[in-house]
């Protein structure tokens, strides 16, 4: 956003006493300068306003042009959007200006913004959400804004528009409307990978690493689950990009880490019997039966954290492997419980009930075949 861009200078500059404008006429005619001091009053109350807001406060186009002229106290940041002080805009003012340019209702409050569906997305939204793997707002060269597809507006200054037919509900982050993390991630990845006809935000190596960092942080920091990440990338048509494909194993590993932590917490918080953790099951003298995250040998119940469900959209063989493992274990009388990090996060008590039910039901089953347990 060029803070030094000005509208044409208006001649005949006159400064009146400070006061409040009660009508458009008090600020002069449409061709006259501001003689009311309304501009000074507004500058003390607001940082960024649109031309329409300024007109509603009684300032004529000539008065606005005068204040944005050479040596004037205001600046035009974007078309129809003005910064009411000298010097560079703050990060918050940059974001507010981008939202106003994209059509955010100035009178709207909260994430819906008076019905105008625009919100910060991409790296700027991730910075507002508190991601440590992206630059802070002052270090970002552009502000990404998510807008309805029908909106007829072009990128301008450091504002980049992303269009969508169906917009998510914005989340209020420090008073600013932000896209939910999965959607913000998709728009950030699109920018980092240089899609949409734009130049990549970084070199090839930097972009690859940046994609991996933001996707894994989203999961490890608890912003969203790996399945949420993969689902949004698929909806945005980004799942097959080389940088994304290369990052999926790291997303899966992060999802598994979170899932295992939640499984451990579930066992102890809901007072389930202590299992053998992270073991491989093998038939005596036979082939391996696969690894499990928890195994209760007395009840012949095993549990696995199905983190690979996050990447199942990119690997149809995942479900077949899971099905084969379940069939092999159940043929031996071993109950296999599949748990996902998402369910362990959103319905921990329910998942604990599922495991407890399996443990209790084991008392009515035929004793399972003997298996060897090997630590992984």
């Amino acid at each position: 956003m060029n803070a030094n861009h000005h509208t044409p200078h208006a001649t005949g500059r006159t400064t009146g006493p400070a006061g409040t404008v009660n009508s458009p006429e008090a600020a002069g005619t449409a061709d006259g300068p501001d003689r009311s001091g309304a501009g000074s009053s507004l500058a003390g109350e607001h940082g960024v306003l649109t031309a329409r807001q300024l007109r509603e406060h009684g300032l004529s186009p000539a008065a606005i042009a005068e204040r944005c002229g050479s040596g004037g106290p205001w600046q035009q940041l974007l078309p129809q959007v003005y910064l009411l002080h000298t010097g560079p805009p703050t990060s918050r003012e940059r974001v507010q200006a981008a939202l106003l340019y994209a059509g955010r209702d100035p009178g709207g409050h909260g994430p819906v913004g008076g019905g105008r569906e625009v919100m910060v997305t991409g790296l700027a939204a991730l910075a507002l959400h508190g991601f440590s793997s992206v630059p802070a707002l002052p270090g970002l060269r552009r502000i990404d804004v998510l807008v309805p597809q029908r909106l007829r507006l072009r990128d301008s200054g450091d504002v980049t528009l992303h269009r969508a037919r169906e917009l998510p509900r914005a989340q209020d982050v420090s008073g600013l409307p932000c896209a939910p993390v999965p959607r913000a991630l998709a728009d950030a990845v699109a920018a980092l990978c240089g899609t949409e006809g734009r130049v990549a935000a970084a070199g090839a190596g930097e972009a690859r690493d940046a994609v991996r960092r933001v996707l894994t942080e989203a999961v490890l920091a608890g912003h969203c689950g790996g399945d949420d990440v993969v689902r949004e990338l698929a909806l945005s048509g980004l799942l097959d990009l080389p940088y994304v494909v290369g990052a999926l194993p790291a997303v899966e590993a992060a999802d598994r880490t979170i899932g295992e932590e939640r499984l451990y917490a579930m066992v102890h918080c809901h007072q389930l019997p202590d299992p053998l953790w992270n073991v491989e099951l093998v038939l005596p003298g036979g082939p391996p039966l696969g690894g499990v995250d928890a195994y209760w040998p007395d009840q012949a119940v095993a549990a696995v954290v199905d983190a690979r469900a996050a990447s199942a959209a990119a690997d149809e063989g995942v479900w077949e492997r899971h099905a084969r493992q379940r069939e092999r274990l159940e043929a031996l009388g071993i109950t296999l419980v599949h748990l996902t990090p998402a369910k362990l996060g959103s319905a921990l008590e329910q998942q604990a009930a599922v495991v407890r039910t399996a443990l209790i039901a084991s008392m009515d089953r035929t004793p399972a075949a003997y298996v060897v347990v090997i630590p992984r």
Side-chain angles (χ1 to χ4, degrees):
M1 197 176 294
N2 187 353
N4 297 317
H5 178 71
H6 302 287
T7 55
H9 178 62
T11 59
R13 180 175 181 176
T14 305
T15 303
T20 303
V21 177
N22 296 318
S23 67
E25 290 75 20
T29 66
D31 298 321
D34 172 23
R35 303 179 186 279
S36 67
S40 300
S41 176
L42 285 173
E45 299 175 5
H46 305 278
V48 181
L49 289 177
T50 64
R52 179 171 69 83
Q53 288 175 288
L54 292 171
R55 291 194 298 270
E56 289 173 352
H57 281 85
L59 288 166
S60 67
I64 297 172
E66 176 193 14
R67 288 187 167 274
C68 292
S70 178
W74 293 357
Q75 307 167 59
Q76 183 174 1
L77 291 182
L78 294 161
Q80 303 294 305
V81 181
Y82 298 89
L83 179 67
L84 307 190
H85 62 76
T86 58
T90 65
S91 296
R92 188 177 186 85
E93 287 169 340
R94 289 179 64 204
V95 174
Q96 290 172 331
L99 291 168
L100 290 173
Y101 170 71
R104 176 81 171 173
D105 185 351
H109 298 283
V112 177
R116 299 305 296 270
E117 297 172 312
V118 301
M119 64 195 77
V120 188
T121 190
L123 293 175
L126 297 181
L128 288 167
H129 278 293
F131 274 62
S132 62
S133 59
V134 303
L137 280 176
L140 293 177
R141 292 180 296 176
R142 67 184 187 185
I143 304 296
D144 296 296
V145 181
L146 187 61
V147 301
Q149 191 170 31
R150 64 181 181 276
L151 185 67
R152 294 186 177 182
L153 201 64
R154 296 182 177 180
D155 297 353
S156 182
D158 65 354
V159 177
T160 300
L161 303 178
H162 299 259
R163 304 177 189 277
R165 290 185 179 180
E166 295 185 11
L167 296 176
R169 181 176 178 83
Q171 296 178 348
D172 191 314
V173 181
S174 301
L176 295 169
C178 289
V181 167
R183 176 67 208 214
L185 280 171
D187 291 327
V189 167
L192 290 168
C193 293
T195 63
E196 303 176 355
R198 300 187 181 96
V199 178
E206 292 181 32
R208 180 183 60 251
D209 293 341
V211 168
R212 178 182 53 78
R213 285 196 302 268
V214 296
L215 294 182
T216 54
E217 182 179 352
V219 177
L220 289 174
H223 293 288
C224 58
D227 53 344
D228 298 317
V229 172
V230 172
R231 185 182 305 111
E232 193 64 49
L233 292 172
L235 289 173
S236 301
L238 303 171
L239 203 56
D240 294 330
L241 293 179
Y243 295 163
V244 174
V245 172
L248 285 180
V251 174
E252 180 181 308
D255 213 28
R256 167 167 288 281
T257 297
I258 294 297
E260 289 174 345
E261 291 175 356
R262 290 171 177 171
L263 175 59
Y264 186 83
M266 182 192 76
V267 168
H268 291 276
C269 292
H270 291 273
Q271 298 180 339
L272 296 174
D274 286 332
L276 301 176
W277 293 103
N278 200 19
V279 295
E280 189 89 18
L281 302 182
V282 182
L283 281 173
L289 300 171
V292 295
D293 295 295
Y295 183 59
W296 289 266
D298 293 340
Q299 294 85 6
V301 172
V304 294
V305 176
D306 194 359
R308 288 176 294 182
S311 59
D315 183 3
E316 296 180 356
V318 167
W319 298 113
E320 294 181 4
R321 291 196 295 273
H322 288 172
R324 286 197 299 270
Q325 183 186 30
R326 179 188 293 275
E327 290 172 359
R328 287 197 302 268
L329 292 179
E330 291 187 348
L332 297 170
I334 299 172
T335 299
L336 181 62
V337 180
H338 276 279
L339 304 168
T340 66
K343 288 183 178 179
L344 287 169
S346 63
L348 190 64
E349 184 174 354
Q350 181 188 48
Q351 298 304 296
V354 170
V355 174
R356 180 176 283 109
T357 299
L359 294 173
I360 294 174
S362 68
M363 294 185 294
D364 299 326
R365 293 200 318 263
T366 303
Y370 177 76
V371 296
V372 178
V373 179
I374 303 174
R376 284 196 295 182

